[in-house]
Amino acid sequence: MAWRIVVGLKDGVKDARGERVRREIKEHLGYDLERVQTLDVYTVDAELSDSEVEQAAAGPFSDPVIQEAAINRPLASGFDILVEVGFRPGVTDNTGRTAKEAIQYITGRRFSADEGVYTSTQYLLTGLKDKEVAEKIAKDFLANGLIQRWTILSADELDPKTGVPVTVPKVVSDSTPTVNSIDLNVSDEQLLDISRKGMLALSLEEMQKIQQHIADPQVVAIREKVGLGAELTDVEIEALAQTWSEHCKHKIFSAKIEYEDENGNKETIDSLFKTYIVGATRDIREAMGDDDFCLSVFKDNAGVIEFTDDWSIVFKVETHNSPSALDPYGGALTGIVGVNRDGVGTGMGARLIFNTDVFCFASPFLEKELPPRLLHPRRIFEGVVEGVEHGGNKSGIPTVNGSIVFDERFAGKPLVYCGTASIMPRMLNGKPCHEKKVQVGDHIVMCGGRIGKDGIHGATFSSEELHEGSPVTAVQIGDPITQRKMFDFLIIARDRGLYSSFTDNGAGGLSSSIGEMAEDTGGFEMHLDRAPLKYSGLQPWEILISEAQERMSLAVPPENLDAFIQLAKDMDVEATDLGNFTDSGYFHCLYEGKTVSYLSMEFLHEGVPQMVIPAKWQLRNLSEPELAAPQDLNVELQKLLGRLNICSKESVVRRYDHEVQAGTVIKPLVGVANDGPSDAAVFRPMLDSFAGVVVSHGICPNYSDIDTYHMMACAIDEGLRNYVAVGGNIDHVAGLDNFCWCDPVKSEKTPDGEYKAAQLVRANKALYDYCVAFGVPLISGKDSMKNDYQIGDTKISIPPTVLFSVIGKMADARKAVSMDVKRPDDLVYLLGDTHNELGGSEYYEEKGALGANVPKVDAASALLRYRTLNKAQDEGLIASCHDLSDGGLAVALAEKAFAGGYGIKVSLNRVAADAGMREDQILFSESQSRLLVTVHPENQAAFEALFKGQSCQHLGKVTIQPELLVSGEKDKILISTPIDLLKEAWQAPLREM
Amino acid sequence: MPKQVKAIVIAGNGTNCEREVAFACKLAGADVSDIVHVAELLAGRVKLDDYHFLNLAGGFLDGDDLGSAKAGANRLLHAKIAGSDETIADQIRRFVAAGKLVMGVCNGFQLMVKMGLLPALTGESKQSCSLTFNDGGRFEDRWAWLKVDPESPCVFTRGLDAVYLPVRHGEGKFVTDNKGTLMQLEQQNLAVVKYADADLNPTMVYPDNPNGSEASIAGICDPTGRLFGLMPHPEAYIHRTHHPRWTREDMPEEGMGLWMYQNAVRFIREELLK
């Protein structure tokens, strides 16, 4: 039978969670409730005795000091409306899993496969009578209908004896596993129909390619030998669809692009990826020669570079945009724990050291009516932040660097970038740790979580297919603890040399992980029926492509299999032998001994036809705005400081543990009150060494509206100048590109595809040009190419956005520099020239203008400046250093001053600016490669000597008077504002988020 | 040869800070500082009896899914060590009875309180205090000043007046089951560390008191002073580069958190192993 255990706080104990929910209902939806109380509900569906249930309720389920528990009766009282929110069947319920384990420890008996614990939360709303409003609160705030269900009862509807009726959200399935074959000997129209209905996302050309393959009599003859026929099975077609998906094959980046520039010059680009990304790294590595520090690029789950003589750094950044749009919490959580598996699953395995996160949202204060199915940006903000918080904090990985970019178009699709760094020994058991190879005969072992219908077909689903009793398929919820246990186990297995290769199970599930690993040997044989399932009723093809989380696939040599499985068992991790890697040349799956797939590895991996995409670049007819000279620059500066793209993100940063592992040397928040904005993070991964990993990023989608070439160049420069600002070594740094684009393929739905494709080409050209110019190799990256919203006639496309992440090292983290001014009378210098480059700037946007003069990067002078800065840092000449970015010089001056708790007095006349620039233009221009540093007076001569011949302007000094004082022509005071006021303007907007 | 000081840090099931805690023990002078997965203890391959200083480190045991450290406490209380009828809790009780030291930090403190190891006013393992959701309802990472009670019997804070350490938790609000418990904690000087303002006066005002803890309590010890738990992280400030303002202030190489580990090692060497 099922028991309901309800746990609530005792009288007089503050319900902080309920109070937070009350506040957020008011902020999100505008309903001002009197009170919200919360209760936890455990529905225990298991054979237990009364006393065992009582013990669980009194013990692990409730806290005797602050809580009380009720079994099969309500605890709720003194409310108007009760809303109970629980998961739909099949949705990952981490708390339910922990509760089940807790009962098992008490009874000493394991639950049977049918038994389980399901959790839900009761919200008791007071000050609300209208059930329709409660429904809205449930739907729009308390729950997500994709993964959760809810019950609403008014006080008089709650049965005083039994409470809320028992619901057991168990997955019930009576389907028996079957394998269907698909007749592809059909018309083109029917081929497309098969692709559409099966959510295969294969184009006609791709379907035809498969049709031709299976029509080959030689192929059929071989198939017949293993008991298959002239038709593909559903297992095979699903495997092909996964392997050939945009997500796995990056078809747009591999496409042939017919590009035409603004002058009508035409060129054919055979793969953007190979030409510009791989090409840049190849050329840079050649130029570096013996100094090449790259160890593994593009071929593994993450890139690997040298760190110290004994250790290497591994870095990867992923996006998880579509899932986060549907379920912000689960999407972001899955994003971060998913990229963690990439970090761990590189080479023979690495230990995670930190996470980074960058989000692109619409304003949380957006007041417009949103088109159907879009969640309000505030809800996305809150959910995503919480997801990354749980994913990072619970996994014990500090989140050390990130940012949030706001643009209204991100209402159509939020961008959620999750990055992770890890370290591995240079050598493991006598071999380079960043290399791995599956051997013929190795066992296929899957470990970690079990397989369910989670994430089948990614996000290409519609809610209409969800109904009570059917598991949710596309939305996943990560489980950091199951994953942490698996990582603890894997690192021991690695050091004991128990496996020869491994990788994570991400997109495409086993189909992709085993399919890719088997490229080493040229085939495999896998028994799908041996895979452990969360619940029965999965079809063989579902087992193959499920994206259920927290799983890794390994190649374990036969002689180590027993030791591997035993270690897993000891450490409470499930590991299952699914078959063997072979050199048969075939993707061979069986179910209960019967062959269900027999695809040639070569066709699977090389068969996908190359796309051809037209691209045509046109200069947009843009001009600079004619703005009246501002009346009061104090007001302008405060307005800019309060803009969402510039203001403090402290409320978010504090929710991330940025110090666990005790390695964070430059933290995200620095300065006299621990609240100034760091440019980059410095992290010391080995506790007994001062070698530091430096990480930062650049992202500037604002400039894409003018020219994506310069957007890309600026993102690279921004990443690098943040990196050098804290002391990162400019000659030992690598980049990662994460492209998020709107659909660039011309079609009925995308009539402007040629322009969007040209934007993509231009960004890639800049990526090549500037990485080569700076000597920064790319080591890994990812693209997400369909960031559009389209329902009916409404289409929202995100601005083309590239996150350029930067990772490198500094030999001695004790030489790191923070951005806050340190002492009165220190000298303030600006490095780099200021041009009339306000196109796409925050200042213009504040004025409602775009402009035309997008900032351009002069890599040669920037590189010299960055190298010289490194030298000055090494010699201890720099007291503080801050990069100039959004909002330009004025914002950087303000941030440096209030972070340090002192004033700054500077003269604008001394800025090396283009002739004829107005004062507001000099203050707010976003010219690149500029840094603002302070220097102790005793170091002036040495500092100036180092920068002799470079653009280095002595603007003024740090003052004890806590005021930002900027003077212009004839010493006219342009800005004089106390730093407290500036700080307040900067902190206010997102303080309460 | 003098006897060795042996520290153990339990890892696994969501413990996260085991490496830095083990390093802090080592740096403080422990001769042995082992990180041991809880599975090793449950398998009976490692015994607590072989150590002097038990560290329960920060993290999220079982995700804190049933409330912070609740499921973790349940495991230690109920899971049997292979081939015996003993639990890890039994081993810990024997460890304590042998006059040894236990320190719990953050999730480790929550674990000690929820197992009833702290404050153990009557000497029996019954939970009388708790750590629950911060008044702000959110996880927060920020640094806080702690005022040390100079009269406390706590072994770990001997000679200390105040320390500056990071707090990193969502469930750090210290509460007691009744006024009597709180009164006893205060009267016996067991409320070892309290959140304090810039003048080092205990405070209830956010953010100096980051979570709304009763009587500003950040950490407590048992009447013997050998069992100590606190929410802030001493292992996160053992070198000056851990300090959030090390780039702007002159400060000693050693961080304030290290002092607590040094006190522990000194006690073991000079009093336990003498």
PDB file of all heavy atoms in Angstrom, chain A residues 20 62-63 98 484 654 657 659 661-662 667 818 820-821, chain B residues 16 20 65 70 130 137-138 141 143 168 242 247-248:
ATOM      1  N   ARG A  20       9.896  33.019   0.935  1.00  0.00           N
ATOM      2  CA  ARG A  20      10.523  33.330  -0.347  1.00  0.00           C
ATOM      3  C   ARG A  20       9.516  33.123  -1.487  1.00  0.00           C
ATOM      4  O   ARG A  20       9.428  33.925  -2.406  1.00  0.00           O
ATOM      5  CB  ARG A  20      11.748  32.442  -0.547  1.00  0.00           C
ATOM      6  CG  ARG A  20      12.492  32.746  -1.824  1.00  0.00           C
ATOM      7  CD  ARG A  20      13.730  31.887  -1.922  1.00  0.00           C
ATOM      8  NE  ARG A  20      13.866  31.375  -3.280  1.00  0.00           N
ATOM      9  CZ  ARG A  20      14.700  30.411  -3.625  1.00  0.00           C
ATOM     10  NH1 ARG A  20      15.462  29.835  -2.732  1.00  0.00           N
ATOM     11  NH2 ARG A  20      14.770  30.020  -4.863  1.00  0.00           N
ATOM     12  N   SER A  62      11.955  13.743   8.930  1.00  0.00           N
ATOM     13  CA  SER A  62      11.654  14.986   9.634  1.00  0.00           C
ATOM     14  C   SER A  62      12.723  15.264  10.671  1.00  0.00           C
ATOM     15  O   SER A  62      13.460  14.377  11.089  1.00  0.00           O
ATOM     16  CB  SER A  62      10.276  14.912  10.293  1.00  0.00           C
ATOM     17  OG  SER A  62      10.302  14.012  11.374  1.00  0.00           O
ATOM     18  N   ASP A  63      12.793  16.519  11.059  1.00  0.00           N
ATOM     19  CA  ASP A  63      13.805  16.967  12.013  1.00  0.00           C
ATOM     20  C   ASP A  63      13.083  17.224  13.325  1.00  0.00           C
ATOM     21  O   ASP A  63      12.224  18.112  13.392  1.00  0.00           O
ATOM     22  CB  ASP A  63      14.441  18.254  11.454  1.00  0.00           C
ATOM     23  CG  ASP A  63      15.533  18.790  12.341  1.00  0.00           C
ATOM     24  OD1 ASP A  63      15.384  18.746  13.580  1.00  0.00           O
ATOM     25  OD2 ASP A  63      16.552  19.268  11.806  1.00  0.00           O
ATOM     26  N   THR A  98      16.591   9.453  -2.669  1.00  0.00           N
ATOM     27  CA  THR A  98      17.294   9.500  -1.376  1.00  0.00           C
ATOM     28  C   THR A  98      16.399   8.961  -0.265  1.00  0.00           C
ATOM     29  O   THR A  98      16.863   8.239   0.629  1.00  0.00           O
ATOM     30  CB  THR A  98      17.703  10.954  -1.062  1.00  0.00           C
ATOM     31  OG1 THR A  98      18.554  11.417  -2.110  1.00  0.00           O
ATOM     32  CG2 THR A  98      18.445  11.046   0.263  1.00  0.00           C
ATOM     33  N   ARG A 484      28.242  12.400  -8.807  1.00  0.00           N
ATOM     34  CA  ARG A 484      29.428  12.579  -7.965  1.00  0.00           C
ATOM     35  C   ARG A 484      29.949  11.218  -7.491  1.00  0.00           C
ATOM     36  O   ARG A 484      31.151  10.957  -7.470  1.00  0.00           O
ATOM     37  CB  ARG A 484      29.056  13.471  -6.773  1.00  0.00           C
ATOM     38  CG  ARG A 484      30.163  13.748  -5.762  1.00  0.00           C
ATOM     39  CD  ARG A 484      31.205  14.689  -6.341  1.00  0.00           C
ATOM     40  NE  ARG A 484      32.530  14.354  -5.843  1.00  0.00           N
ATOM     41  CZ  ARG A 484      33.116  14.936  -4.797  1.00  0.00           C
ATOM     42  NH1 ARG A 484      32.527  15.921  -4.178  1.00  0.00           N
ATOM     43  NH2 ARG A 484      34.298  14.542  -4.392  1.00  0.00           N
ATOM     44  N   ARG A 654      26.665  35.194  -5.477  1.00  0.00           N
ATOM     45  CA  ARG A 654      26.698  34.666  -4.107  1.00  0.00           C
ATOM     46  C   ARG A 654      25.962  33.335  -3.975  1.00  0.00           C
ATOM     47  O   ARG A 654      26.154  32.609  -3.018  1.00  0.00           O
ATOM     48  CB  ARG A 654      26.098  35.671  -3.126  1.00  0.00           C
ATOM     49  CG  ARG A 654      26.910  36.919  -2.980  1.00  0.00           C
ATOM     50  CD  ARG A 654      27.089  37.339  -1.535  1.00  0.00           C
ATOM     51  NE  ARG A 654      27.934  38.528  -1.452  1.00  0.00           N
ATOM     52  CZ  ARG A 654      29.254  38.494  -1.395  1.00  0.00           C
ATOM     53  NH1 ARG A 654      29.898  37.350  -1.374  1.00  0.00           N
ATOM     54  NH2 ARG A 654      29.965  39.600  -1.339  1.00  0.00           N
ATOM     55  N   ASP A 657      28.648  28.580  -4.962  1.00  0.00           N
ATOM     56  CA  ASP A 657      29.841  28.389  -4.157  1.00  0.00           C
ATOM     57  C   ASP A 657      31.019  28.609  -5.087  1.00  0.00           C
ATOM     58  O   ASP A 657      31.254  27.821  -5.990  1.00  0.00           O
ATOM     59  CB  ASP A 657      29.853  26.966  -3.581  1.00  0.00           C
ATOM     60  CG  ASP A 657      30.966  26.785  -2.568  1.00  0.00           C
ATOM     61  OD1 ASP A 657      31.977  27.511  -2.674  1.00  0.00           O
ATOM     62  OD2 ASP A 657      30.833  25.913  -1.690  1.00  0.00           O
ATOM     63  N   GLU A 659      34.148  29.031  -3.904  1.00  0.00           N
ATOM     64  CA  GLU A 659      35.394  28.826  -3.171  1.00  0.00           C
ATOM     65  C   GLU A 659      35.671  27.387  -2.762  1.00  0.00           C
ATOM     66  O   GLU A 659      36.732  27.099  -2.207  1.00  0.00           O
ATOM     67  CB  GLU A 659      35.399  29.708  -1.927  1.00  0.00           C
ATOM     68  CG  GLU A 659      35.260  31.174  -2.280  1.00  0.00           C
ATOM     69  CD  GLU A 659      35.250  32.065  -1.050  1.00  0.00           C
ATOM     70  OE1 GLU A 659      36.335  32.413  -0.600  1.00  0.00           O
ATOM     71  OE2 GLU A 659      34.164  32.385  -0.557  1.00  0.00           O
ATOM     72  N   GLN A 661      36.867  23.657  -2.781  1.00  0.00           N
ATOM     73  CA  GLN A 661      38.167  23.146  -3.253  1.00  0.00           C
ATOM     74  C   GLN A 661      39.324  24.054  -2.866  1.00  0.00           C
ATOM     75  O   GLN A 661      40.483  23.740  -3.110  1.00  0.00           O
ATOM     76  CB  GLN A 661      38.192  22.880  -4.768  1.00  0.00           C
ATOM     77  CG  GLN A 661      37.172  21.844  -5.232  1.00  0.00           C
ATOM     78  CD  GLN A 661      37.443  21.350  -6.652  1.00  0.00           C
ATOM     79  OE1 GLN A 661      38.528  21.498  -7.191  1.00  0.00           O
ATOM     80  NE2 GLN A 661      36.448  20.717  -7.239  1.00  0.00           N
ATOM     81  N   ALA A 662      38.993  25.207  -2.252  1.00  0.00           N
ATOM     82  CA  ALA A 662      40.018  26.099  -1.679  1.00  0.00           C
ATOM     83  C   ALA A 662      41.088  26.514  -2.675  1.00  0.00           C
ATOM     84  O   ALA A 662      42.261  26.627  -2.331  1.00  0.00           O
ATOM     85  CB  ALA A 662      40.653  25.448  -0.446  1.00  0.00           C
ATOM     86  N   LYS A 667      38.679  35.869  -6.875  1.00  0.00           N
ATOM     87  CA  LYS A 667      37.280  35.461  -6.799  1.00  0.00           C
ATOM     88  C   LYS A 667      36.430  36.356  -7.701  1.00  0.00           C
ATOM     89  O   LYS A 667      36.884  37.414  -8.127  1.00  0.00           O
ATOM     90  CB  LYS A 667      36.817  35.559  -5.344  1.00  0.00           C
ATOM     91  CG  LYS A 667      37.672  34.716  -4.387  1.00  0.00           C
ATOM     92  CD  LYS A 667      37.183  34.823  -2.954  1.00  0.00           C
ATOM     93  CE  LYS A 667      38.256  34.535  -1.920  1.00  0.00           C
ATOM     94  NZ  LYS A 667      38.737  33.169  -1.878  1.00  0.00           N
ATOM     95  N   SER A 818      44.019  42.253  -8.881  1.00  0.00           N
ATOM     96  CA  SER A 818      42.568  42.454  -8.896  1.00  0.00           C
ATOM     97  C   SER A 818      42.234  43.841  -9.430  1.00  0.00           C
ATOM     98  O   SER A 818      43.113  44.683  -9.617  1.00  0.00           O
ATOM     99  CB  SER A 818      41.987  42.229  -7.500  1.00  0.00           C
ATOM    100  OG  SER A 818      42.549  43.146  -6.593  1.00  0.00           O
ATOM    101  N   ASP A 820      40.270  46.383  -8.220  1.00  0.00           N
ATOM    102  CA  ASP A 820      39.956  47.474  -7.305  1.00  0.00           C
ATOM    103  C   ASP A 820      41.171  48.360  -7.035  1.00  0.00           C
ATOM    104  O   ASP A 820      42.281  47.868  -6.854  1.00  0.00           O
ATOM    105  CB  ASP A 820      39.441  46.889  -5.985  1.00  0.00           C
ATOM    106  CG  ASP A 820      40.322  45.735  -5.472  1.00  0.00           C
ATOM    107  OD1 ASP A 820      40.639  44.823  -6.275  1.00  0.00           O
ATOM    108  OD2 ASP A 820      40.718  45.769  -4.292  1.00  0.00           O
ATOM    109  N   VAL A 821      40.944  49.664  -6.971  1.00  0.00           N
ATOM    110  CA  VAL A 821      42.071  50.546  -6.638  1.00  0.00           C
ATOM    111  C   VAL A 821      42.512  50.252  -5.206  1.00  0.00           C
ATOM    112  O   VAL A 821      41.699  49.886  -4.353  1.00  0.00           O
ATOM    113  CB  VAL A 821      41.710  52.048  -6.786  1.00  0.00           C
ATOM    114  CG1 VAL A 821      41.378  52.366  -8.229  1.00  0.00           C
ATOM    115  CG2 VAL A 821      40.583  52.455  -5.857  1.00  0.00           C
TER     116      VAL A 821
ATOM    117  N   ASN B  16      32.186  17.109  -0.234  1.00  0.00           N
ATOM    118  CA  ASN B  16      32.925  17.822  -1.271  1.00  0.00           C
ATOM    119  C   ASN B  16      34.275  18.383  -0.832  1.00  0.00           C
ATOM    120  O   ASN B  16      35.138  18.625  -1.650  1.00  0.00           O
ATOM    121  CB  ASN B  16      32.080  18.988  -1.800  1.00  0.00           C
ATOM    122  CG  ASN B  16      30.897  18.508  -2.606  1.00  0.00           C
ATOM    123  OD1 ASN B  16      30.954  17.466  -3.251  1.00  0.00           O
ATOM    124  ND2 ASN B  16      29.806  19.254  -2.568  1.00  0.00           N
ATOM    125  N   GLU B  20      40.640  19.590   0.688  1.00  0.00           N
ATOM    126  CA  GLU B  20      41.214  20.744   1.391  1.00  0.00           C
ATOM    127  C   GLU B  20      41.257  20.536   2.905  1.00  0.00           C
ATOM    128  O   GLU B  20      42.149  21.042   3.576  1.00  0.00           O
ATOM    129  CB  GLU B  20      40.502  22.046   1.012  1.00  0.00           C
ATOM    130  CG  GLU B  20      38.991  22.079   1.180  1.00  0.00           C
ATOM    131  CD  GLU B  20      38.228  21.771  -0.107  1.00  0.00           C
ATOM    132  OE1 GLU B  20      38.646  20.849  -0.837  1.00  0.00           O
ATOM    133  OE2 GLU B  20      37.218  22.435  -0.370  1.00  0.00           O
ATOM    134  N   ASP B  65      18.894  16.094   0.372  1.00  0.00           N
ATOM    135  CA  ASP B  65      17.538  15.975  -0.157  1.00  0.00           C
ATOM    136  C   ASP B  65      16.453  15.933   0.918  1.00  0.00           C
ATOM    137  O   ASP B  65      15.341  16.401   0.699  1.00  0.00           O
ATOM    138  CB  ASP B  65      17.427  14.702  -1.017  1.00  0.00           C
ATOM    139  CG  ASP B  65      18.125  14.843  -2.351  1.00  0.00           C
ATOM    140  OD1 ASP B  65      18.321  15.997  -2.796  1.00  0.00           O
ATOM    141  OD2 ASP B  65      18.464  13.818  -2.959  1.00  0.00           O
ATOM    142  N   LYS B  70      20.494  15.034   6.664  1.00  0.00           N
ATOM    143  CA  LYS B  70      19.546  14.102   7.303  1.00  0.00           C
ATOM    144  C   LYS B  70      19.753  12.664   6.813  1.00  0.00           C
ATOM    145  O   LYS B  70      19.851  11.731   7.608  1.00  0.00           O
ATOM    146  CB  LYS B  70      18.105  14.538   6.999  1.00  0.00           C
ATOM    147  CG  LYS B  70      17.649  15.776   7.725  1.00  0.00           C
ATOM    148  CD  LYS B  70      17.445  15.552   9.206  1.00  0.00           C
ATOM    149  CE  LYS B  70      16.330  14.553   9.469  1.00  0.00           C
ATOM    150  NZ  LYS B  70      16.228  14.274  10.905  1.00  0.00           N
ATOM    151  N   SER B 130      19.344  22.179  15.720  1.00  0.00           N
ATOM    152  CA  SER B 130      19.297  21.884  14.293  1.00  0.00           C
ATOM    153  C   SER B 130      19.883  23.030  13.499  1.00  0.00           C
ATOM    154  O   SER B 130      20.144  24.108  14.027  1.00  0.00           O
ATOM    155  CB  SER B 130      17.861  21.592  13.843  1.00  0.00           C
ATOM    156  OG  SER B 130      17.891  20.951  12.582  1.00  0.00           O
ATOM    157  N   GLY B 137      16.391  32.421   2.819  1.00  0.00           N
ATOM    158  CA  GLY B 137      15.808  31.396   1.952  1.00  0.00           C
ATOM    159  C   GLY B 137      16.711  30.963   0.811  1.00  0.00           C
ATOM    160  O   GLY B 137      16.264  30.265  -0.093  1.00  0.00           O
ATOM    161  N   ARG B 138      17.970  31.365   0.844  1.00  0.00           N
ATOM    162  CA  ARG B 138      18.857  31.026  -0.269  1.00  0.00           C
ATOM    163  C   ARG B 138      20.228  30.576   0.219  1.00  0.00           C
ATOM    164  O   ARG B 138      20.678  30.969   1.286  1.00  0.00           O
ATOM    165  CB  ARG B 138      19.124  32.281  -1.117  1.00  0.00           C
ATOM    166  CG  ARG B 138      18.008  32.677  -2.023  1.00  0.00           C
ATOM    167  CD  ARG B 138      18.596  33.633  -3.050  1.00  0.00           C
ATOM    168  NE  ARG B 138      17.615  34.460  -3.727  1.00  0.00           N
ATOM    169  CZ  ARG B 138      16.787  34.050  -4.658  1.00  0.00           C
ATOM    170  NH1 ARG B 138      16.792  32.842  -5.009  1.00  0.00           N
ATOM    171  NH2 ARG B 138      15.936  34.861  -5.250  1.00  0.00           N
ATOM    172  N   ASP B 141      27.311  32.431  -0.502  1.00  0.00           N
ATOM    173  CA  ASP B 141      28.754  32.350  -0.280  1.00  0.00           C
ATOM    174  C   ASP B 141      29.201  33.754   0.094  1.00  0.00           C
ATOM    175  O   ASP B 141      29.142  34.669  -0.725  1.00  0.00           O
ATOM    176  CB  ASP B 141      29.431  31.868  -1.578  1.00  0.00           C
ATOM    177  CG  ASP B 141      30.960  31.796  -1.464  1.00  0.00           C
ATOM    178  OD1 ASP B 141      31.544  32.477  -0.595  1.00  0.00           O
ATOM    179  OD2 ASP B 141      31.561  31.067  -2.273  1.00  0.00           O
ATOM    180  N   TRP B 143      31.968  35.987   3.211  1.00  0.00           N
ATOM    181  CA  TRP B 143      32.876  35.871   4.355  1.00  0.00           C
ATOM    182  C   TRP B 143      32.257  36.530   5.572  1.00  0.00           C
ATOM    183  O   TRP B 143      31.533  37.519   5.446  1.00  0.00           O
ATOM    184  CB  TRP B 143      34.240  36.473   4.014  1.00  0.00           C
ATOM    185  CG  TRP B 143      35.059  35.564   3.131  1.00  0.00           C
ATOM    186  CD1 TRP B 143      34.721  35.158   1.868  1.00  0.00           C
ATOM    187  CD2 TRP B 143      36.293  34.928   3.440  1.00  0.00           C
ATOM    188  NE1 TRP B 143      35.666  34.307   1.380  1.00  0.00           N
ATOM    189  CE2 TRP B 143      36.660  34.155   2.320  1.00  0.00           C
ATOM    190  CE3 TRP B 143      37.135  34.938   4.547  1.00  0.00           C
ATOM    191  CZ2 TRP B 143      37.838  33.391   2.286  1.00  0.00           C
ATOM    192  CZ3 TRP B 143      38.306  34.191   4.514  1.00  0.00           C
ATOM    193  CH2 TRP B 143      38.655  33.423   3.394  1.00  0.00           C
ATOM    194  N   ARG B 168      29.287  29.148   3.317  1.00  0.00           N
ATOM    195  CA  ARG B 168      28.802  28.732   1.991  1.00  0.00           C
ATOM    196  C   ARG B 168      27.705  27.708   2.201  1.00  0.00           C
ATOM    197  O   ARG B 168      27.922  26.512   2.120  1.00  0.00           O
ATOM    198  CB  ARG B 168      29.950  28.115   1.179  1.00  0.00           C
ATOM    199  CG  ARG B 168      31.234  28.941   1.191  1.00  0.00           C
ATOM    200  CD  ARG B 168      32.253  28.443   0.187  1.00  0.00           C
ATOM    201  NE  ARG B 168      32.528  27.051   0.265  1.00  0.00           N
ATOM    202  CZ  ARG B 168      33.710  26.512   0.588  1.00  0.00           C
ATOM    203  NH1 ARG B 168      34.740  27.291   0.880  1.00  0.00           N
ATOM    204  NH2 ARG B 168      33.864  25.213   0.603  1.00  0.00           N
ATOM    205  N   HIS B 242      43.765  32.780   0.093  1.00  0.00           N
ATOM    206  CA  HIS B 242      42.344  32.431   0.216  1.00  0.00           C
ATOM    207  C   HIS B 242      41.503  33.642   0.622  1.00  0.00           C
ATOM    208  O   HIS B 242      40.302  33.675   0.380  1.00  0.00           O
ATOM    209  CB  HIS B 242      42.151  31.350   1.293  1.00  0.00           C
ATOM    210  CG  HIS B 242      42.636  30.002   0.871  1.00  0.00           C
ATOM    211  ND1 HIS B 242      43.396  29.208   1.691  1.00  0.00           N
ATOM    212  CD2 HIS B 242      42.478  29.306  -0.276  1.00  0.00           C
ATOM    213  CE1 HIS B 242      43.678  28.070   1.067  1.00  0.00           C
ATOM    214  NE2 HIS B 242      43.141  28.119  -0.136  1.00  0.00           N
ATOM    215  N   THR B 247      44.865  40.736  -2.148  1.00  0.00           N
ATOM    216  CA  THR B 247      45.591  41.604  -3.099  1.00  0.00           C
ATOM    217  C   THR B 247      45.672  43.044  -2.591  1.00  0.00           C
ATOM    218  O   THR B 247      46.344  43.853  -3.198  1.00  0.00           O
ATOM    219  CB  THR B 247      44.904  41.638  -4.485  1.00  0.00           C
ATOM    220  OG1 THR B 247      43.566  42.135  -4.328  1.00  0.00           O
ATOM    221  CG2 THR B 247      44.874  40.267  -5.148  1.00  0.00           C
ATOM    222  N   ARG B 248      44.980  43.372  -1.504  1.00  0.00           N
ATOM    223  CA  ARG B 248      44.997  44.764  -1.067  1.00  0.00           C
ATOM    224  C   ARG B 248      45.431  44.961   0.379  1.00  0.00           C
ATOM    225  O   ARG B 248      45.577  46.098   0.822  1.00  0.00           O
ATOM    226  CB  ARG B 248      43.657  45.436  -1.302  1.00  0.00           C
ATOM    227  CG  ARG B 248      42.444  44.737  -0.713  1.00  0.00           C
ATOM    228  CD  ARG B 248      41.143  45.453  -1.088  1.00  0.00           C
ATOM    229  NE  ARG B 248      41.124  46.811  -0.629  1.00  0.00           N
ATOM    230  CZ  ARG B 248      40.987  47.864  -1.420  1.00  0.00           C
ATOM    231  NH1 ARG B 248      40.849  47.712  -2.718  1.00  0.00           N
ATOM    232  NH2 ARG B 248      40.969  49.074  -0.920  1.00  0.00           N
TER     233      ARG B 248
END
